[in-house]
Amino acid sequence: MAVVEFINGKNKTYGAMKRVLAYITNPAKTEPYLIDGYNCDINNAYNQFVLTKRNYNKETGRQYIHLTQSFAPYDKVTPEEVKKIADELLQMEFFKGFEIAYAVHTDRDHLHTHFVVNSVNAQTGRKWKQSAKQLQDLKDYSDELCRKRGLIITHGKKGNYKNRGEYRSRDRGQSWKYELYLAVKKMKWYSKNKEDFIKNMEKLGYKVDWRDDRKYITFTTPTGKKCRNRKLYPPEKFTKEALLKAFDLNKQRAKDRELKNRMELVLSLVYVIQSNPDYDAVKNYPLTALEGEALKDEMAELKKGKGLDWDKEKGREF
């Protein structure tokens, strides 16, 4: 079963468009072979989007459309198959002439594809418009593609996956295991070796039992709950080998100071969430609260000085 949803967001600036394109192609969320472009070069999508707008003198207003196609965790479908379904979905007349960057994300317990559509059609110069009928046609065709592959199609309320917010609230929502998953995922890309990873996890309040004579890594949460790395999803991204490979990539791509700065920023954001009374309901799950694009927005605001006295907090260990 696949659910198609349009994501409302701050989509009226070039900066927001650049951020969402970076978000969907983030290597921590997907793989190179699961990223593609329709009517555009995925490696140059942002520039092509901007050039199309300038060619037609339509640089104001809505800059992009963001939609997702999500599959239930119990659907027996592979990332490769989800990518093929996305390829076929874009063949609809609905998308003709539009430049689209898209990527299958594998970082959640359900596979899903993000599509970012340029708001200006590269062939006609017309801006994106969607009628209720076109939206229903899109959902119907998505169902048809799933049905053709033997995937489950659900329309009733019971077991319905359409309310993604309810699903995430129930299966992920504010859970210690999901918070642990986010911590490991982020520290995986902020560490340069095993020792660095363990130290960073400890700064977030987690203990890490990583022994060479044991197959699995055991994490202990700040509240004392234990979980092995094989319980994190997808498990192949959190094996010892996968983590060590990520550390090597980090050493190649970023200097020690850059990694440290990223880590300090995350710790500062965690501190803000935990100390802000407005976030009382999620203060035990700061990374969940800062997940995804919200994290980027929070970082941008904090860099401007909003909500945090950087001079006061400089050098603080959390």
Side-chain angles (χ1 to χ4, degrees):
M1 173 179 63
V3 176
V4 175
E5 293 181 300
F6 283 81
I7 309 299
N8 292 320
K10 301 174 181 178
N11 58 6
K12 294 187 176 181
T13 67
Y14 278 175
M17 186 167 70
K18 179 176 284 188
R19 286 196 299 274
V20 75
L21 287 169
Y23 173 77
I24 73 165
T25 57
N26 185 337
K29 296 178 175 294
T30 185
E31 302 292 342
Y33 70 94
L34 299 175
I35 302 171
D36 211 342
Y38 176 75
N39 291 329
C40 70
D41 175 8
I42 188 61
N43 296 312
N44 198 37
Y46 173 76
N47 291 330
Q48 286 185 240
F49 282 22
V50 171
L51 184 59
T52 295
K53 296 177 193 297
R54 290 178 179 171
N55 283 343
Y56 291 104
N57 195 28
K58 293 185 177 179
E59 296 184 69
T60 59
R62 195 177 191 182
Q63 300 298 320
Y64 65 90
I65 295 83
H66 184 185
L67 63 137
T68 61
Q69 185 184 35
S70 304
F71 295 79
Y74 48 78
D75 265 332
K76 300 299 182 182
V77 62
T78 65
E80 293 81 3
E81 195 66 27
V82 171
K83 171 62 167 55
K84 290 179 181 178
I85 293 173
D87 295 339
E88 289 189 48
L89 190 70
L90 293 180
Q91 299 307 310
M92 290 185 69
E93 187 71 17
F94 191 60
F95 296 111
K96 185 176 179 180
F98 283 98
E99 297 159 321
I100 305 171
Y102 60 110
V104 178
H105 281 195
T106 59
D107 60 324
R108 301 273 184 85
D109 52 359
H110 67 286
L111 296 172
H112 57 286
T113 305
H114 286 268
F115 303 85
V116 178
V117 186
N118 191 358
S119 59
V120 179
N121 191 295
Q123 293 181 7
T124 67
R126 294 179 180 176
K127 295 205 75 171
W128 172 277
K129 289 183 180 180
Q130 67 190 46
S131 66
K133 182 182 183 306
Q134 287 175 317
L135 179 57
Q136 189 57 52
D137 287 345
L138 176 62
K139 292 180 177 181
D140 290 344
Y141 188 53
S142 174
D143 284 349
E144 181 184 328
L145 294 175
C146 292
R147 191 178 292 109
K148 186 170 66 175
R149 291 168 170 82
L151 301 179
I152 302 168
I153 307 297
T154 302
H155 296 293
K157 290 184 177 180
K158 187 174 182 180
N160 193 350
Y161 187 63
K162 288 187 177 182
N163 191 335
R164 188 174 60 169
E166 288 183 3
Y167 170 79
R168 291 171 65 186
S169 176
R170 181 178 67 252
D171 283 18
R172 175 211 74 171
Q174 322 294 319
S175 76
W176 65 267
K177 187 173 288 186
Y178 191 78
E179 183 73 8
L180 167 64
Y181 156 78
L182 289 177
V184 176
K185 185 180 71 170
K186 288 192 179 300
M187 296 312 102
K188 169 183 176 180
W189 295 109
Y190 291 170
S191 307
K192 60 182 183 297
N193 52 48
K194 168 185 169 182
E195 291 72 23
D196 199 27
F197 172 75
I198 293 174
K199 186 186 300 182
N200 286 337
M201 288 293 292
E202 288 176 346
K203 288 179 180 179
L204 290 175
Y206 295 90
K207 293 181 181 179
V208 181
D209 187 359
W210 183 333
R211 306 183 196 182
D212 293 338
D213 60 344
R214 291 188 178 180
K215 183 176 181 179
Y216 300 111
I217 303 168
T218 300
F219 299 100
T220 305
T221 72
T223 56
K225 297 183 183 295
K226 294 183 181 293
C227 180
R228 288 183 175 178
N229 57 325
R230 66 185 177 88
K231 294 292 186 179
L232 300 177
Y233 186 88
E236 65 271 13
K237 287 186 176 288
F238 298 101
T239 63
K240 288 182 177 181
E241 293 75 16
L243 291 173
L244 291 172
K245 183 178 179 180
F247 302 157
D248 287 337
L249 287 174
N250 293 340
K251 284 189 288 187
Q252 296 172 27
R253 294 174 178 173
K255 297 179 181 177
D256 288 352
R257 186 60 199 170
E258 291 174 352
L259 292 174
K260 185 177 180 182
N261 286 342
R262 293 179 196 171
M263 183 63 195
E264 288 177 349
L265 186 53
V266 169
L267 290 174
S268 297
L269 290 166
V270 166
Y271 173 75
V272 170
I273 289 293
Q274 292 177 329
S275 62
N276 191 328
D278 293 335
Y279 289 98
D280 187 61
V282 294
K283 67 190 305 179
N284 292 323
Y285 308 101
L287 293 175
T288 300
L290 292 170
E291 185 184 7
E293 292 178 90
L295 175 59
K296 300 183 191 309
D297 292 339
E298 290 280 356
M299 285 184 170
E301 292 301 317
L302 287 173
K303 285 179 180 178
K304 297 175 185 176
K306 179 180 178 181
L308 183 65
D309 185 338
W310 288 104
D311 291 331
K312 180 179 179 181
E313 301 300 333
K314 186 177 181 181
R316 177 189 288 267
E317 294 289 339
F318 304 112

